[in-house]
Amino acid sequence: MTQARSVSADSPASSANSFGIVIAGHGSRDPDAVQEFERLVALIRARAPQHVISHGYLEFSSPTISEAVSANLALGSTQIAVVPAVLLAARHAKNDMPAEVLTMARDYPAIDFHFGAPMNLHPQLLQLAQERIIAAEATSAQTIRRADTCLVLVGRGTTDPDANSEVSKLARMLEEGMGFGSAVVCYSGTAKPLVADGLRAAAQLGFARIVVLPFFLFDGVLVKRIYAAADDLQQSEPDLEILKAGYLGAHEHVADVIIERAREAVAGRADMNCSLCKYRVQIVGFEEQVGEPQRAHHLPVRGLLGKNTQVVDSPPPVAMPYVPHPIEAESFRIIAAGRDWSQFPVAHLTVLQRLVHTSGDFNAVDDIFLSPGAVETGIRALLRCKQIVTDVTMVQTGLKRALLEQLGIETWCGVHDRETHLMSAAQGITRSAAGMRRAFEKFGNDIVLAIGDAPTAIMEVTRLIREHGWRPQLVIGLPVGFVGTRESKDDLRRCLQVPRITNSGTRGGSPWAASVVNGLMIDAQNQLAGYVPD
């Protein structure tokens, strides 16, 4: 435990209102990006000499953020402002970096830690974007009015709609403030449209010039790809002038914004846009993420390049086979010995024996239908697509958490979402059917569907398959009941366009559907581990 320490009058931390600043960067595999970040740190030191300044990286590069904190404390700081050197508030600024600060606060209980806001759309950053655009225009020998120019603004792209929308806001502000004829927003990854699609869309608008502006702090792999995409478009559209504006870079404006964010943090004014944060309020399409715990996702690559310069050659982690609880193992020994399984393909046994375990009935498997290759296709889909959609939460909660985490599989059930309720009421369909329609729109084909409760969900799925070309990788349909159950399963069995697992009659239920998925996940995990059960 580190205690508060006395500071000499000569120390940079001796001022009554002084504090140490830790600049938390993302980190990169690209040495150009790391060098530019360190130039920015040097600029911040020159512009804020009264503060102890240290820097660390979230991923790949060294020093790590925790090492930067230790270095800052060693120079006499008794309070620390950790400022995320990122443009917008997304996962890194909302989860990963705060998790680092919480760990540091536990390690150093005598030190006051403050977490700053990201840079966001600060007026000085808008001015810097303006400078980059004007500098790009100056490289052209042509005189083309801004009204005849389309701005293409490229953001990083995240899973956070609030951060993505800020890129659109910036584009609108630059379009109106600088008089562009139009602006197109695209992203380097995760969000859509991607860079190539955005550039093609801009080229079709009929403008004489396109200015491509990467809304990035530093050079790196992604910025290089953006410029390469612009070059490719220029080759295919020789009559269209395409100018490449610079990214923000190590500039005085960026340094001043970071210093301002540090001072705001210590003063308790680190404002973030919590009113539209998907972790705090229900945002359309992201309702299930309200209250999601802050978990760091960067730990496997923290300081990675400093630990191992041969990252590409490092062996992948070894997958372990599924190990059942002793009671579970004994149950399956009894099930294996309890009937003749020789009539079933070996590839089907894990799924079928799971169904016997769930139902307590050896005869439950006699009317199970597995289309040719359904099990093998389902395993490949789980390993490749890593997305399971269920009709009700009971199926979702019946899936083995440990296997989901080991395989990196996400699950989704929309039956209780507000949009599902609205769609159900507006279109006169059940909520389960509406949930399937939303899955069709939200995920496309790269999913495994598990239906254990609602025959109407199966009927909607088969309708979308036949009438709209939906092609889920596997459809598991095992609802229980007497109203429409038998008919919906028969319809799924006749649906030849997709791999499917179902049964005849009225038996089934959410535990049955979850058991099939669990069996597939067990086989997938064993396949990764190279393990073949006896």
Side-chain angles (χ1 to χ4, degrees):
M1 182 174 71
T2 300
Q3 300 295 329
R5 55 184 68 78
S6 61
V7 182
S8 69
D10 296 331
S11 168
S14 61
S15 172
N17 63 353
S18 185
F19 50 88
I21 300 175
V22 172
I23 306 163
H26 179 274
S28 175
R29 293 179 184 269
D30 190 315
D32 292 340
V34 175
Q35 290 170 10
E36 283 195 308
F37 180 80
E38 290 174 355
R39 285 199 293 272
L40 175 63
V41 173
L43 187 58
I44 293 170
R45 284 197 181 103
R47 299 179 74 79
Q50 72 275 30
H51 297 287
V52 175
I53 308 290
S54 59
H55 71 282
Y57 300 97
L58 192 66
E59 298 178 352
F60 302 117
S61 310
S62 294
T64 65
I65 295 172
S66 61
E67 290 169 344
V69 168
S70 298
N72 208 296
L73 294 176
L75 292 174
S77 299
T78 56
Q79 60 176 333
I80 299 286
V82 179
V83 181
V86 296
L87 289 170
L88 300 172
R91 189 179 70 182
H92 290 316
K94 292 180 178 179
N95 285 322
D96 296 329
M97 291 179 180
E100 291 274 344
V101 175
L102 288 173
T103 300
M104 291 297 99
R106 286 193 294 267
D107 292 344
Y108 301 100
I111 302 300
D112 291 330
F113 286 88
H114 310 272
F115 187 66
M119 284 179 267
N120 295 320
L121 300 188
H122 194 283
Q124 286 186 273
L125 298 187
L126 268 69
Q127 294 171 10
L128 182 52
Q130 178 188 43
E131 291 180 25
R132 299 299 186 228
I133 291 168
I134 292 172
E137 292 171 335
T139 64
S140 173
Q142 301 187 59
T143 300
I144 297 176
R145 296 176 66 243
R146 293 250 178 85
D148 299 320
T149 301
C150 178
L151 173 67
V152 175
L153 183 65
V154 185
R156 170 61 183 89
T158 78
T159 58
D160 193 311
D162 192 15
N164 293 333
S165 68
E166 290 293 287
V167 181
S168 296
K169 182 177 180 180
L170 173 62
R172 188 68 188 182
M173 296 179 79
L174 292 173
E175 176 188 350
E176 294 191 14
M178 298 186 71
F180 285 103
S182 185
V184 171
V185 172
C186 54
Y187 303 90
S188 65
T190 307
K192 294 181 180 179
L194 296 176
V195 176
D197 298 327
L199 288 171
R200 280 194 296 269
Q204 294 171 2
L205 295 178
F207 289 95
R209 169 187 284 170
I210 289 175
V211 176
V212 181
L213 174 65
F215 187 50
F216 282 69
L217 274 178
F218 305 114
D219 195 4
V221 174
L222 297 179
V223 171
K224 290 179 172 67
R225 288 177 184 169
I226 293 166
Y227 290 152
D231 291 339
D232 291 342
L233 180 64
Q234 185 68 86
Q235 288 186 353
S236 63
E237 301 283 349
D239 296 330
L240 173 63
E241 184 178 55
I242 300 174
L243 303 180
K244 295 178 291 187
Y247 48 88
L248 300 182
H251 189 277
E252 293 176 352
H253 288 348
V254 176
D256 289 345
V257 172
I258 289 177
I259 295 168
E260 182 178 329
R261 294 294 184 244
R263 291 171 178 162
E264 290 172 347
V266 173
R269 295 185 289 105
D271 295 328
M272 296 180 71
N273 187 12
C274 296
S275 63
L276 290 176
C277 176
K278 65 178 181 177
Y279 301 115
R280 291 179 176 268
V281 294
Q282 288 197 336
I283 300 299
V284 172
F286 298 86
E287 293 88 349
E288 72 279 2
Q289 292 187 257
V290 172
E292 196 171 90
Q294 285 184 317
R295 291 195 183 98
H297 300 82
H298 64 288
L299 299 180
V301 291
R302 182 170 58 183
L304 183 63
L305 296 182
K307 300 173 186 174
N308 180 10
T309 55
Q310 300 296 321
V311 174
V312 175
D313 299 327
S314 58
V318 177
M320 301 300 293
Y322 175 73
V323 179
H325 185 276
I327 296 177
E328 181 184 358
E330 176 63 14
S331 295
F332 280 92
R333 187 195 64 75
I334 295 170
I335 290 170
R339 67 166 290 166
D340 179 13
W341 294 97
S342 62
Q343 62 181 300
F344 301 104
V346 174
H348 296 179
L349 290 183
T350 304
V351 166
L352 295 177
Q353 291 178 358
R354 285 268 147 195
L355 284 170
V356 170
H357 183 256
T358 296
S359 64
D361 182 1
F362 281 101
N363 298 321
V365 299
D366 291 334
D367 59 358
I368 293 292
F369 170 78
L370 299 97
S371 67
V375 168
E376 296 83 355
T377 300
I379 292 171
R380 288 196 300 269
L382 290 174
L383 293 174
R384 180 179 66 85
C385 306
K386 299 185 180 299
Q387 183 68 57
I388 298 168
V389 170
T390 69
D391 64 327
V392 291
T393 54
M394 189 172 178
V395 178
Q396 189 180 35
T397 55
L399 302 179
K400 289 183 173 291
R401 294 290 110 187
L403 284 170
L404 291 171
E405 292 176 4
Q406 290 167 18
L407 295 169
I409 294 173
E410 299 288 334
T411 66
W412 183 84
C413 177
V415 72
H416 296 301
D417 287 359
R418 182 173 183 271
E419 184 173 340
T420 302
H421 283 255
L422 293 172
M423 182 183 292
S424 170
Q427 302 192 20
I429 58 178
T430 67
R431 284 186 292 142
S432 295
M436 295 299 101
R437 194 173 298 183
R438 289 192 61 213
F440 165 64
E441 296 174 349
K442 187 177 180 72
F443 299 106
N445 297 334
D446 288 339
I447 58 171
V448 169
L449 272 178
I451 300 170
D453 182 77
T456 56
I458 292 182
M459 299 304 292
E460 179 65 11
V461 168
T462 55
R463 184 189 74 82
L464 291 169
I465 289 170
R466 293 189 178 107
E467 297 180 12
H468 298 279
W470 195 19
R471 296 295 182 267
Q473 302 300 300
L474 174 66
V475 179
I476 300 163
L478 292 167
V480 63
F482 297 94
V483 180
T485 304
R486 189 189 307 271
E487 295 80 2
S488 69
K489 294 175 183 178
D490 290 344
D491 188 51
L492 176 60
R493 186 168 182 163
R494 294 191 299 268
C495 191
L496 303 179
Q497 295 93 330
V498 295
R500 56 220 181 275
I501 298 175
T502 187
N503 68 342
S504 303
T506 58
R507 291 197 298 176
S510 297
W512 288 42
S515 290
V516 171
V517 178
N518 285 334
L520 294 173
M521 289 197 295
I522 288 169
D523 281 348
Q525 183 66 24
N526 287 339
Q527 187 178 107
L528 288 178
Y531 172 71
V532 180
D534 296 335

